[in-house]
Amino acid sequence: MRRETLPSALSAANIPLTELRVYQTTAHPDIGKRLEAYITEQGVPEFLVFFSPSGVKFSQPALQKLAANDLSKIKIAAIGPTTAEAMTSAGLAVACTAENPNPQSLLTAIQANMAAQPTEGPT
């Protein structure tokens, strides 16, 4: 999803900009079916990771429909701050955010979140 950061900075520096749209991000037509199949076969996941604001935008309605009662049980991670902001704007709780947009930072953030959660003792 396009942001105004670069156009605004260029404009402030009096640098002309001509924008040309070369692609459009769209939802996968089977996103709802795929999410439903996963939850039916695997159950509600412990973690869900978003890698882009558009991923949040396109999957959030399907997630709400499929896991409405269980969505609060899923910890949701973001690959970076822009994605975390999109999650918050969509009403999703951000469990953790990777410091850098790479697999190792994402793993570190998830592991830190899991380590911070209290473990259930015997009852």
Side-chain angles (χ1 to χ4, degrees):
M1 294 177 13
R2 183 187 178 285
R3 299 189 87 175
E4 289 296 323
T5 306
L6 186 57
S8 295
L10 292 172
S11 178
N14 293 320
I15 299 172
L17 171 68
T18 302
E19 295 186 50
L20 176 64
R21 186 178 196 166
V22 296
Y23 73 92
Q24 181 175 348
T25 304
T26 61
H28 190 284
D30 293 332
I31 190 168
K33 290 178 187 175
R34 288 180 176 207
L35 286 170
E36 183 177 15
Y38 179 87
I39 291 172
T40 299
E41 294 169 15
Q42 304 291 325
V44 177
E46 181 177 356
F47 266 91
L48 179 65
V49 178
F50 283 109
F51 292 91
S52 69
S54 59
V56 174
K57 175 184 174 183
F58 294 129
S59 62
Q60 198 259 347
L63 284 172
Q64 288 288 3
K65 180 182 173 191
L66 294 170
N69 297 328
D70 297 315
L71 196 55
S72 64
K73 298 176 187 174
I74 302 172
K75 297 173 190 169
I76 308 176
I79 193 67
T82 303
T83 303
E85 182 181 307
M87 290 166 53
T88 301
S89 294
L92 299 172
V94 180
C96 57
T97 303
E99 286 187 28
N100 297 297
N102 62 55
Q104 186 57 49
S105 289
L106 181 60
L107 176 62
T108 299
I110 291 172
Q111 287 175 329
N113 179 276
M114 292 174 73
Q117 300 302 313
T119 57
E120 294 182 23
T123 55

